C-alpha cells in the first residue's frame, strides 16, 4: 500500500511557474512507476508525466519542454516542476503510482494509487 499526498497547487498567471510535490508513505522501498495525471473540467484524465523505476521519464506532448518530473528518493517525494504555464494547463493534478516493477503506461486505470489532487489555475 502506498499513500500519496499532493501539495503546491494554486493560481498563477500565464507564463508563471509552480512546483507540485507528492509525499509518499507506506511501501516506498520497492521501485515503482510514479507520475502525474490531470483532469480539466469536462475532460478525461490524462497522463502529464511519469517516471519509470529505471528513471525514464515521459511527458504529454503539450507539456514537453515546460514540465519536468523528478523525485527525491531519500525523502520519498515526487515533484512536477511546471514552467511557462498556460491557461490550458488549468486542471486538478493527481499524483499516481503503480504496483512495484511495472512500467509506466498512459491510461489511468493502470495506476493503483492516487492522491487526493491539487488544483492549478492559470489565468491569461
Amino acid at each position: 500500500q502506498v499513500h500519496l499526498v499532493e501539495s503546491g497547487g494554486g493560481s498563477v498567471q500565464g507564463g508563471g511557474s509552480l512546483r507540485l510535490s507528492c509525499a509518499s508513505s507506506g511501501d516506498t522501498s520497492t521501485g515503482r512507476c510514479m507520475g502525474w495525471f490531470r483532469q480539466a473540467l469536462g475532460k478525461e484524465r490524462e497522463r502529464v508525466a511519469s517516471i519509470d523505476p529505471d528513471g525514464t521519464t515521459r511527458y504529454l506532448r503539450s507539456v514537453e519542454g515546460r514540465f519536468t518530473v523528478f523525485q527525491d528518493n531519500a525523502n520519498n517525494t515526487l515533484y512536477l516542476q511546471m514552467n511557462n504555464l498556460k491557461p490550458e494547463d488549468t486542471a486538478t493534478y493527481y499524483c499516481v503510482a503503480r504496483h512495484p516493477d511495472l512500467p509506466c503506461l498512459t491510461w489511468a486505470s493502470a495506476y493503483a494509487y492516487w492522491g487526493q489532487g491539487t488544483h492549478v489555475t492559470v489565468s491569461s
Side-chain angles (χ1 to χ4, degrees), residues 55-108:
T56 301
T57 56
R58 295 179 174 84
Y59 296 93
L60 182 69
R61 184 169 296 180
S62 63
V63 309
E64 281 183 345
R66 300 189 296 121
F67 290 13
T68 303
V69 60
F70 60 101
Q71 54 190 10
D72 178 352
N73 291 325
N75 292 304
N76 298 318
T77 303
L78 181 75
Y79 298 95
L80 182 68
Q81 177 66 42
M82 305 186 294
N83 297 329
N84 190 21
L85 282 159
K86 303 177 180 181
E88 52 263 41
D89 295 319
T90 295
T92 299
Y93 285 71
Y94 298 90
C95 177
V96 298
R98 295 204 72 190
H99 289 302
D101 301 321
L102 295 176
C104 292
L105 298 173
T106 58
W107 50 92

Side-chain angles (χ1 to χ4, degrees), residues 4 6 9 14 17 20 32 34 38 41 54 60-61 70 96 98 101 110 114 116 121 124:
L4 305 171
E6 304 98 334
S17 298
L20 306 183
R32 63 178 77 233
M34 296 193 69
R38 70 184 181 188
L41 193 63
D54 66 359
L60 182 69
R61 184 169 296 180
F70 60 101
V96 298
R98 295 204 72 190
D101 301 321
W114 291 72
Q116 82 286 354
T121 300
S124 56

Side-chain angles (χ1 to χ4, degrees), residues 17-30:
S17 298
L18 284 173
R19 178 178 290 187
L20 306 183
S21 300
C22 172
S24 58
S25 59
D27 181 16
T28 59
S29 62
T30 52

